[in-house]
Amino acid sequence: MQTRNQRTLARSIECSGVGIFTNADVKIRFCPAPENHGIQFIRTDLVDSKPIPALIQNAVFKQRRTAIEYQGASVEMIEHVMAALAGLRIDNCRIEINAPEAPCFDGSSQELSIELLEAGIVEQPFKRDLICIGQPVSVEDDTGSFIQAKPLNRSVLAIGYYLNYGEDSPIPPQCLTLEINPETWMKQLAFSRTFVLEDEVETMRSLGYGLRLSAGDLLVLGEQGVVDNELRTLDECVRHKILDCLGDFALIGCDLYGYFCANQSGHALNRELIKKIKSTHQIISSEAAWKIA
Ligand SMILES: [Zn+2]
């Protein structure tokens, strides 16, 4: 079985942006962290706030985004940050954030991924824990959406996604399967932006969301196509869904090998699958994986 060393940043970096749900100005700082630290957020705007480990047991339900909460502190919209760290295989990172929500950036993970790469990534002496999918696991909801994890005969993570919102949707059906590694992350996924239907924008605004964003800041899709913007690839939407899967899967806190096949799955189903995998599969500790290798 293929194992690898844990990795962290070579130096700290700071980024800023606007929160899509809270409309807040956000500063977020990514700092190196020791072996077996994992990804932890710390709310610097709260007094005596404890770090919030980015793990599935700390996930809390929020509509259309991923949020974690621990000992009274929470942070939401973390999936694009988590995807960037997972895509680049940055396993240990302390993230200081001065708001309850990660910044939206341009709706993708591209800018952050470039900054993280520029900071440099260094290997650490410890091996990374992993879960290797040994038997099929699947979850579904009452709309017919589902996501499955299946065994693979190679030590890789592959994610396939089928998106079909129906004949009347401005988003055409799209399907893509990718093997995830730092190279495919940067070339095939990091640039893909979050998207919203034009019909949904007014509802979101009435709820107070996205008040500081315009159609140029993320993908808005209407009957006439993309509003005030251009697609980066024809299948940008399905690429972003795979990006979201990767960010949500990262809450498992270790490497994941297997083939994941999603049909219209969203954050809630992604999290449910990860919980089920954790309850049905054993984590192979770094020490054991080292011996198997
Ligand atoms: Zn997303």
Side-chain angles (χ1 to χ4, degrees):
M1 194 170 305
Q2 204 172 332
T3 59
R4 65 176 183 86
N5 284 62
Q6 295 180 29
R7 297 167 19 126
T8 190
L9 287 170
R11 64 173 172 85
S12 299
I13 57 158
E14 188 172 287
C15 310
S16 57
V18 172
I20 195 169
F21 288 94
T22 57
N23 307 294
D25 283 311
V26 188
K27 275 200 175 124
I28 186 165
R29 188 173 176 80
F30 296 81
C31 309
E35 297 89 352
N36 298 323
H37 175 280
I39 309 299
Q40 298 189 11
F41 288 80
I42 183 149
R43 288 278 304 277
T44 55
D45 57 321
L46 302 178
V47 180
D48 294 332
S49 180
K50 301 277 185 299
I52 313 164
L55 293 170
I56 191 68
Q57 55 266 39
N58 298 328
V60 289
F61 179 79
K62 291 275 180 184
Q63 204 67 254
R64 299 183 68 144
R65 58 208 190 267
T66 299
I68 48 172
E69 185 177 320
Y70 187 67
Q71 295 191 342
S74 65
V75 62
E76 59 187 74
M77 197 66 199
I78 61 166
E79 60 269 30
H80 302 166
V81 167
M82 293 300 290
L85 295 168
L88 294 172
R89 293 183 182 153
I90 297 168
D91 312 302
N92 300 307
C93 187
R94 173 187 161 94
I95 304 171
E96 298 169 359
I97 183 166
N98 70 344
E101 179 185 8
C104 169
F105 299 112
D106 67 348
S108 82
S109 304
Q110 184 163 254
E111 179 187 334
L112 173 59
S113 297
I114 291 169
E115 297 254 7
L116 291 168
L117 274 181
E118 279 178 6
I121 300 166
V122 290
E123 284 206 345
Q124 297 171 291
F126 279 63
K127 294 283 176 185
R128 174 81 162 154
D129 286 353
L130 66 94
I131 286 179
C132 191
I133 299 299
Q135 72 269 5
V137 182
S138 66
V139 292
E140 59 184 69
D141 66 18
D142 51 16
T143 69
S145 300
F146 64 82
I147 181 162
Q148 304 171 321
K150 299 175 183 176
L152 260 184
N153 57 1
R154 290 189 301 138
S155 301
V156 297
L157 168 65
I159 305 176
Y161 198 102
Y162 176 62
L163 177 158
N164 186 350
Y165 295 122
E167 277 180 19
D168 298 331
S169 172
I171 304 170
Q174 299 170 24
C175 181
L176 184 68
T177 299
L178 285 174
E179 192 175 308
I180 312 294
N181 57 50
E183 195 180 348
T184 56
W185 167 252
M186 289 307 292
K187 286 185 181 162
Q188 311 266 5
L189 290 175
F191 65 79
S192 61
R193 291 162 294 176
T194 195
F195 55 93
V196 62
L197 293 175
E198 198 172 16
D199 293 350
E200 298 172 314
V201 171
E202 206 169 310
T203 311
M204 290 190 73
R205 289 248 159 92
S206 69
L207 293 168
Y209 302 153
L211 301 180
R212 295 175 64 192
L213 300 174
S214 68
D217 295 321
L218 71 173
L219 275 181
V220 178
L221 292 129
E223 276 180 22
Q224 309 301 320
V226 183
V227 180
D228 296 336
N229 217 323
E230 279 181 23
L231 287 171
R232 291 176 176 166
T233 61
L234 280 176
D235 61 355
E236 186 173 353
C237 293
V238 76
R239 287 174 192 269
H240 187 80
K241 297 301 280 187
I242 294 176
L243 179 158
D244 278 343
C245 284
L246 181 63
D248 290 339
F249 294 172
L251 292 175
I252 205 160
C254 65
D255 276 357
L256 199 50
Y257 293 159
Y259 171 53
F260 290 73
C261 168
N263 183 321
Q264 312 277 104
S265 170
H267 297 299
L269 266 189
N270 296 346
R271 290 195 300 270
E272 209 181 308
L273 180 75
I274 289 307
K275 279 184 188 162
K276 202 165 175 182
I277 289 171
K278 271 203 97 170
S279 69
T280 54
H281 284 70
Q282 270 201 324
I283 293 178
I284 302 172
S285 77
S286 44
E287 190 59 29
W290 175 247
K291 282 177 189 157
I292 292 166

